[in-house]
Amino acid sequence: MNKPTAFVFLFIFMGTLVQGQKEYWEDPTMIGENKEPGHATLIPFDNLDQALLGDRLASAHFLSLNGTWKFNWVSKPDERPLEFFNLDYNVNNWVNIDVPSSWQLEGYGQPIYTNVKHPFPDPQPPVAPRDNNPVGSYRRTFTLPDNWNDGQIILHFDGVKSAFFIWINGKKVGYSQGSMTPAEFNITSYLLPGENIIAAQVFRWSDAAFIEDQDFWRLSGIYRDVYLMHVPDVHIRHYKAIAELTDNYQNGLLSLTTDLSNYSSSPKRILLKASLFDPAQQEIGVIQSIEQELSPNTGKKLDFFLEVNDISQWSAEIPNLYTLVLNLIDSNIESIEYISTKVGFRSVELKNGQMLVNGKPIIIKGVN
């Protein structure tokens, strides 16, 4: 084969490769990159009083990124800025936009309401429309609190439609799609001392848009809260608490599963204490693990059960709630973190075709 012919074959081969490469938002096998596994909603607190109060805004480990961001909107992906995440990129001429918000309600693009048909003409699944797929680019700066030098920094998006990339200080962190579910990224290694830059690029349509055929408004953007969460290197990453009724609905059984993570490069010895408080914030039950060793950069799952007598049932009419507080303790018997959540004891069952809540029949009325 002579050189000109070989060059033509090489050109055709490379062109085929380029055509075969799918963009993330067009690839059904790509729903996230570098995302943290999902977990129960939680924010660390420094002491028991804060945990019982449960106000995340008052936690020293919570930093909201809601507010004013710089914003650029284009009608299709080919027009989007490609290097806006770089530190030297000037966004001073961009407009301001509130986060959270849907950009259609801020004057960019059109809200769309449909039921069973797709919100764009001539659908070609799984490829989102390339000439009608608005892209919003966001940027802002933030400074970490002084006491966040140790531990891990988690970036949390409560909801973004429909797909988005994220960069910190000019470096790509990851990708997510899933409009109604949170997305988290561990950004510890991307951060700089002092001021930091966060950039996000949001696509209105993705391959997921083809399976969103319900009757609802199609809106776009960072439409739910954004915040940073600071967690210790040994952390209660996830928990699952199931509160049921026993003994003819008079007593309670709390089943608790916790996932502990050690982000550090050395083994750690810890204890986990779980305390249940009644609505008057009186402690009525305690579970404590034996000392556990967590290997470096690994996790461990712990299971517990707690029986409680004379429980106050939860129901829609009388929603009695208890407070569960999880306390991680190090080998020096010092608290590492507190996590809290509300739990309600109830029983839901079907007997002879009738749904019962706490042993009493209910009727469910629904509307479309």
Side-chain angles (χ1 to χ4, degrees):
M1 183 181 297
N2 58 37
K3 288 184 178 180
T5 304
F7 178 79
V8 170
F9 274 103
L10 178 62
F11 181 81
I12 294 173
F13 175 72
M14 294 301 295
T16 302
L17 283 180
V18 171
Q19 290 181 357
Q21 292 175 347
K22 295 180 180 178
E23 301 284 6
Y24 280 19
W25 61 92
E26 299 176 346
D27 184 354
T29 67
M30 172 60 72
I31 60 173
E33 183 178 74
N34 204 27
K35 289 170 62 175
E36 293 293 292
H39 62 81
T41 301
L42 57 85
I43 289 290
F45 295 98
D46 287 329
N47 55 57
L48 177 59
D49 289 340
Q50 291 178 358
L52 288 172
L53 183 62
D55 181 5
R56 72 177 186 178
L57 298 180
S59 171
H61 305 278
F62 174 89
L63 179 64
S64 174
L65 295 183
N66 291 349
T68 302
W69 293 51
K70 286 295 186 179
F71 181 68
N72 171 273
W73 183 91
V74 296
S75 62
K76 58 183 179 180
D78 285 349
E79 297 175 347
R80 73 192 192 277
L82 298 179
E83 299 181 352
F84 77 104
F85 49 81
N86 288 334
L87 300 182
D88 58 356
Y89 193 95
N90 190 341
V91 296
N92 289 337
N93 292 330
W94 286 16
V95 299
N96 294 330
I97 195 169
D98 289 333
V99 170
S101 68
S102 297
W103 68 51
Q104 289 84 0
L105 303 184
E106 301 294 322
Y108 301 94
Q110 180 181 6
I112 298 175
Y113 178 87
T114 63
N115 187 357
V116 295
K117 67 178 183 179
H118 291 297
F120 38 78
D122 191 26
Q124 300 290 329
V127 179
R130 291 172 176 169
D131 292 327
N132 177 25
N133 187 8
V135 180
S137 302
Y138 297 77
R139 252 182 63 159
R140 67 160 289 170
T141 61
F142 64 90
T143 302
L144 295 178
D146 293 337
N147 59 346
W148 284 22
N149 293 327
D150 298 323
Q152 306 294 309
I153 312 298
I154 307 298
L155 171 62
H156 180 106
F157 289 85
D158 268 338
V160 180
K161 288 186 179 183
S162 160
F164 72 102
F165 295 89
I166 188 73
W167 295 264
I168 296 291
N169 295 321
K171 296 181 179 179
K172 180 183 174 184
V173 176
Y175 170 81
S176 176
Q177 66 184 59
S179 300
M180 303 299 176
T181 54
E184 283 190 341
F185 305 89
N186 189 328
I187 61 171
T188 309
S189 62
Y190 299 87
L191 296 170
L192 301 172
E195 188 175 76
N196 290 267
I197 295 177
I198 178 173
Q201 195 160 66
V202 181
F203 294 75
R204 180 171 196 179
W205 309 123
S206 68
D207 55 87
F210 291 96
I211 58 173
E212 289 186 332
D213 275 340
Q214 306 92 26
D215 50 344
F216 69 102
W217 283 99
R218 269 70 169 186
L219 301 170
S220 319
I222 304 174
Y223 72 103
R224 290 178 179 164
D225 291 340
V226 186
Y227 60 86
L228 299 178
M229 178 173 65
H230 172 247
V231 304
D233 283 331
V234 182
H235 170 54
I236 304 169
R237 198 197 67 80
H238 175 57
Y239 65 86
K240 181 180 180 180
I242 300 176
E244 302 174 296
L245 297 175
T246 62
D247 304 317
N248 198 29
Y249 315 109
Q250 299 303 307
N251 301 323
L253 175 64
L254 179 67
S255 303
L256 176 64
T257 299
T258 60
D259 291 344
L260 309 180
S261 292
N262 178 11
Y263 295 103
S264 74
S265 57
S266 60
K268 302 292 183 180
R269 301 195 68 83
I270 55 91
L271 295 170
L272 180 66
K273 178 182 177 182
S275 303
L276 188 68
F277 294 82
D278 67 14
Q281 295 193 347
Q282 298 299 309
E283 189 177 68
I284 60 171
V286 178
I287 319 167
Q288 184 164 306
S289 73
I290 61 173
E291 190 174 66
Q292 305 284 326
E293 179 169 304
L294 300 182
S295 300
N297 299 304
T298 60
K300 178 173 286 190
K301 181 177 291 186
L302 301 178
D303 296 312
F304 303 94
F305 296 93
L306 176 64
E307 295 180 349
V308 184
N309 294 327
D310 300 321
I311 205 74
S312 294
Q313 302 172 352
W314 180 98
S315 69
E317 296 76 19
I318 307 176
N320 292 306
L321 289 175
Y322 293 74
T323 303
L324 175 66
V325 177
L326 307 179
N327 180 204
L328 199 58
I329 304 168
D330 65 18
S331 56
N332 296 321
I333 318 300
E334 294 184 357
S335 293
I336 301 173
E337 71 174 347
Y338 291 84
I339 300 291
S340 65
T341 187
K342 298 292 186 181
V343 296
F345 288 83
R346 69 176 182 181
S347 171
V348 179
E349 54 194 333
L350 286 173
K351 286 188 177 180
N352 300 321
Q354 174 69 60
M355 177 172 282
L356 307 178
V357 174
N358 303 339
K360 298 176 181 179
I362 66 166
I363 297 175
I364 299 176
K365 298 180 180 180
V367 296
N368 185 4

